[in-house]
Amino acid sequence: MNPSCFTLVLFCIALVLALAIPSLKSKKPKRELPPSPRGWPIIGNLFQMIMNPPAQMWIHRVMEDMQTDIACFRFAGVHVIAVTSSEIAREVLREKDEAFADRSDSYSLNLFTDGYKEVIFAPYGERSKLMKKMMATKLMCSTTLNKTLGDRTIEADNIVTYVYNLCQLGSMATPINVRDVILTNCHAVMMRLMFGQRHFDEPAKDGGLGPKEKEHMDAIYQALDCFFSFEISNYVPFLRGWNIGGAEAEIREAAAIINRCNDSVIRERMHLWRNKGGKETEEDWLDILITLKDCHGMPLFTFGEIRGLCKDINVATIDNTMNNVEWTIAELLNHPEILQKAINELDMVVGKDKLVQESDIPQLNYIKACSRESFRLHPANVFMPPHGAREDTTLAGYFVPKGSQIIVSRYGLGRNPKIWEEPEVFKPERHLDARDSTVVNLLEPDMRFVTFSAGRRTCAGTKIGTSMTIMLIARLLQGFEWTLPPGKSQIELVPAQTNLFMAKPLVASVKPRLAPSLYPKIQV
């Protein structure tokens, strides 16, 4: 046994001693819980979780062995109920949405959000509902998104030219790091929408990320890696702050870097609006957050809440788009016939004498089908963020005690053979309705797989997320010929362990396929 495992075993022994008396005094639920794997006295399945990393895949193996779509794992005093069925997922996120609208508490998330002063991970209540409503009606509404279309188009132009410049540095078919390209676009769009500027300091001359933007992006990526981990301290509060497994130190470092980058912009802008009279109009999302007033005419949000909401936007505009675009291009490289169909659609809908625009997205149904298929096969994380039971209730006929965590499996839904034929095969055609193939969108109301979540805790930015994702795929496919890198006959489709991002950044060879005049200059 390696030293880290031995340390965890010692903690488990300490845990038994710490929990023995209160656990023995507590009353067991009288009603039937969902099927459960055999566990230990007092600590339940906690030891098995620790000894079978990554825990999220161990949970799926256990459920497959039990042949169940719902299972209850007891980690110390916490019931964690996993779901891999679309019917049960709809019950969680639709029929009993309010009963399961809470969030689970964790040291890492509490640290990252400065005590849940934001909306994604905050407990369900009046403040979180107010923030969610504000995000939907002020930041993500059609009026605001239409105002920022020009900024998004500039970055769509910039990313095409950035890749074109990379091609010019080498041979006509140049291997490039596709993940770096995608993250460059995602970060630049997020910065323009949120802060009204592409860079924190001096712009990068090549159109990529500058040093501070790279540091900011790396910290966001590091934070995403920690959010959905099964840490022992999530279930044993007295171990919080001990940095068992190292996730707490990583999230603390990531939060400090993101705060350092964001805070100076936020403070300067708050001073401008609240002490110097502001601007003529609100120009970006930060302006809107700062200028919102409550019913008494006072600022609606504090500095801490604005900071928290900005961090929400940081992570929410990166993970799904980055993950989906990278996996989609990887799958297309492994399926040249599908790649050619996507390119044929672009040539037919848009042509080769102008660049694809957001207004073309409704007609790009095959590309949207490719994106949907990547969401199904390759979600960003194994599970959705945990939902917390706000009261004693039932799920699929089983008893669910108040305080239980319900984790709906993105991975389990998308690969469930009861839902999908040939679930391991990348087949975009399955998303084209034979009766009406003219309407394809990224949302999945029947919960057969998950794109941007659902229910009261759904992502407020599904529209902008769809636009960013499809626009980036379309621009990259239209602007360049994509081939496997030298010496490769296939792309290795291997996910990471802590999340489901590609384990290694995708590298592919590209060369321009449009007239040189169509690649505009970088606008910083």
Side-chain angles (χ1 to χ4, degrees):
M1 182 180 293
N2 64 46
S4 61
C5 288
F6 181 71
T7 302
L8 290 174
V9 170
L10 291 179
F11 278 121
C12 283
I13 295 171
L15 172 64
V16 170
L17 297 175
L19 296 182
I21 294 176
S23 294
L24 290 172
K25 288 182 178 180
S26 65
K27 295 180 180 179
K28 294 182 179 180
K30 295 179 180 179
R31 299 165 63 183
E32 184 183 6
L33 292 165
S36 303
R38 182 172 296 178
W40 289 32
I42 303 171
I43 64 171
N45 307 113
L46 190 64
F47 186 73
Q48 296 151 282
M49 181 199 81
I50 294 167
M51 299 304 292
N52 290 279
Q56 51 266 46
M57 301 315 297
W58 167 74
I59 288 172
H60 283 86
R61 290 196 299 272
V62 170
M63 294 179 71
E64 287 175 7
D65 291 343
M66 295 172 62
Q67 297 183 337
T68 182
D69 288 328
I70 180 171
C72 179
F73 298 81
R74 186 168 61 84
F75 300 141
V78 181
H79 293 93
V80 177
I81 297 170
V83 171
T84 59
S85 152
S86 58
E87 292 84 358
I88 304 174
R90 289 195 296 270
E91 187 177 352
V92 173
L93 299 168
R94 212 181 277 170
E95 298 166 30
K96 296 183 177 176
D97 186 21
E98 188 169 6
F100 296 124
D102 221 337
R103 286 293 195 214
S104 61
D105 179 42
S106 83
Y107 180 87
S108 294
L109 289 176
N110 192 2
L111 182 70
F112 183 79
T113 61
D114 299 313
Y116 302 111
K117 295 184 177 73
E118 44 76 69
V119 68
I120 295 177
F121 302 107
Y124 187 68
E126 293 304 316
R127 197 63 178 170
S128 67
K129 287 191 286 185
L130 173 66
M131 288 185 171
K132 179 68 175 292
K133 181 179 180 181
M134 178 280 306
M135 294 275 284
T137 60
K138 300 297 183 181
L139 270 58
M140 306 297 174
C141 67
S142 296
T143 301
T144 301
L145 294 182
N146 289 340
K147 281 178 61 178
T148 57
L149 174 60
D151 288 332
R152 299 196 300 276
T153 302
I154 286 172
E155 288 309 325
D157 291 347
N158 281 346
I159 202 62
V160 169
T161 302
Y162 177 54
V163 177
Y164 181 76
N165 291 341
L166 292 176
C167 293
Q168 300 303 100
L169 295 176
S171 63
M172 286 304 290
T174 308
I176 64 168
N177 185 315
V178 180
R179 183 179 298 175
D180 282 352
V181 168
I182 297 167
L183 289 177
T184 296
N185 177 258
C186 291
H187 192 272
V189 173
M190 178 267 295
M191 286 287 290
R192 283 195 189 270
L193 296 180
M194 186 166 70
F195 292 147
Q197 58 193 57
R198 195 174 197 261
H199 298 276
F200 289 107
D201 295 319
E202 292 296 318
K205 293 181 180 179
D206 64 354
L209 302 178
K212 195 166 183 179
E213 289 75 48
K214 288 180 180 177
E215 182 184 35
H216 191 243
M217 185 69 258
D218 288 346
I220 295 169
Y221 199 83
Q222 183 172 315
L224 287 168
D225 207 28
C226 299
F227 284 161
F228 302 101
S229 57
F230 285 78
E231 299 295 329
I232 187 173
S233 62
N234 291 350
Y235 314 106
V236 188
F238 82 86
L239 294 179
R240 293 181 180 183
W242 293 29
N243 193 35
I244 299 170
E248 292 176 0
E250 289 182 14
I251 201 76
R252 185 180 296 110
E253 178 186 28
I257 292 171
I258 295 170
N259 287 341
R260 186 168 67 246
C261 293
N262 289 354
D263 285 1
S264 59
V265 182
I266 297 170
R267 292 185 188 281
E268 181 180 341
R269 194 76 63 81
M270 289 182 75
H271 180 71
L272 174 64
W273 278 104
R274 296 181 181 178
N275 299 100
K276 290 192 171 183
K279 314 175 187 176
E280 290 185 6
T281 60
E282 296 99 354
E283 297 173 353
D284 51 50
W285 287 345
L286 182 57
D287 286 340
I288 294 172
L289 292 176
I290 292 171
T291 56
L292 285 172
K293 299 288 194 298
D294 63 17
C295 59
H296 304 292
M298 300 299 292
L300 186 61
F301 297 124
T302 65
F303 168 80
E305 290 170 327
I306 293 173
R307 170 201 259 187
L309 289 167
C310 285
K311 280 192 285 192
D312 272 1
I313 293 168
N314 286 155
V315 300
T317 52
I318 299 298
D319 62 342
N320 261 342
T321 297
M322 182 281 295
N323 182 70
N324 185 262
V325 176
E326 186 173 30
W327 276 112
T328 300
I329 292 177
E331 288 281 10
L332 293 177
L333 286 167
N334 280 354
H335 298 86
E337 72 287 355
I338 298 177
L339 173 59
Q340 190 58 52
K341 287 181 182 179
I343 292 171
N344 289 345
E345 179 181 67
L346 277 164
D347 288 347
M348 182 177 67
V349 172
V350 183
K352 297 178 68 174
D353 57 353
K354 64 176 182 178
L355 293 174
V356 61
Q357 303 296 323
E358 282 192 19
S359 58
D360 297 312
I361 289 176
Q363 297 173 272
L364 300 177
N365 289 304
Y366 194 76
I367 288 176
K368 285 183 285 184
C370 291
S371 178
R372 276 176 62 93
E373 184 69 340
S374 287
F375 273 116
R376 180 189 72 81
L377 261 180
H378 307 294
N381 291 283
V382 176
F383 292 104
M384 295 172 60
H387 285 242
R390 304 173 64 220
E391 58 194 34
D392 286 353
T393 185
T394 59
L395 183 60
Y398 295 106
F399 176 59
V400 176
K402 179 181 179 180
S404 298
Q405 296 179 13
I406 295 82
I407 48 176
V408 175
S409 175
R410 297 171 182 260
Y411 180 90
L413 290 174
R415 295 175 184 246
N416 190 332
K418 298 176 185 177
I419 303 173
W420 303 100
E421 272 187 39
E422 299 181 291
E424 304 295 324
V425 177
F426 184 80
K427 189 162 63 174
E429 284 76 10
R430 71 173 87 235
H431 302 284
L432 297 172
D433 191 325
R435 295 164 298 175
D436 183 8
S437 61
T438 63
V439 180
V440 178
N441 63 62
L442 298 194
L443 301 182
E444 176 49 45
D446 292 331
M447 295 302 298
R448 297 180 301 159
F449 67 97
V450 180
T451 52
F452 300 105
S453 188
R456 280 173 169 77
R457 304 310 297 249
T458 190
C459 172
T462 55
K463 187 173 182 180
I464 184 66
T466 295
S467 296
M468 286 178 63
T469 302
I470 302 304
M471 188 66 169
L472 183 52
I473 294 173
R475 280 292 180 103
L476 293 177
L477 295 186
Q478 184 197 29
F480 306 94
E481 292 181 14
W482 293 81
T483 53
L484 294 165
K488 291 281 188 180
S489 60
Q490 283 270 297
I491 300 294
E492 291 184 86
L493 304 180
V494 179
Q497 287 202 340
T498 51
N499 50 46
L500 295 181
F501 299 159
M502 291 188 72
K504 296 179 180 179
L506 174 62
V507 174
S509 294
V510 298
K511 63 179 181 179
R513 68 183 294 268
L514 302 177
S517 60
L518 286 176
Y519 300 93
K521 293 182 179 180
I522 296 289
Q523 301 180 62
V524 298

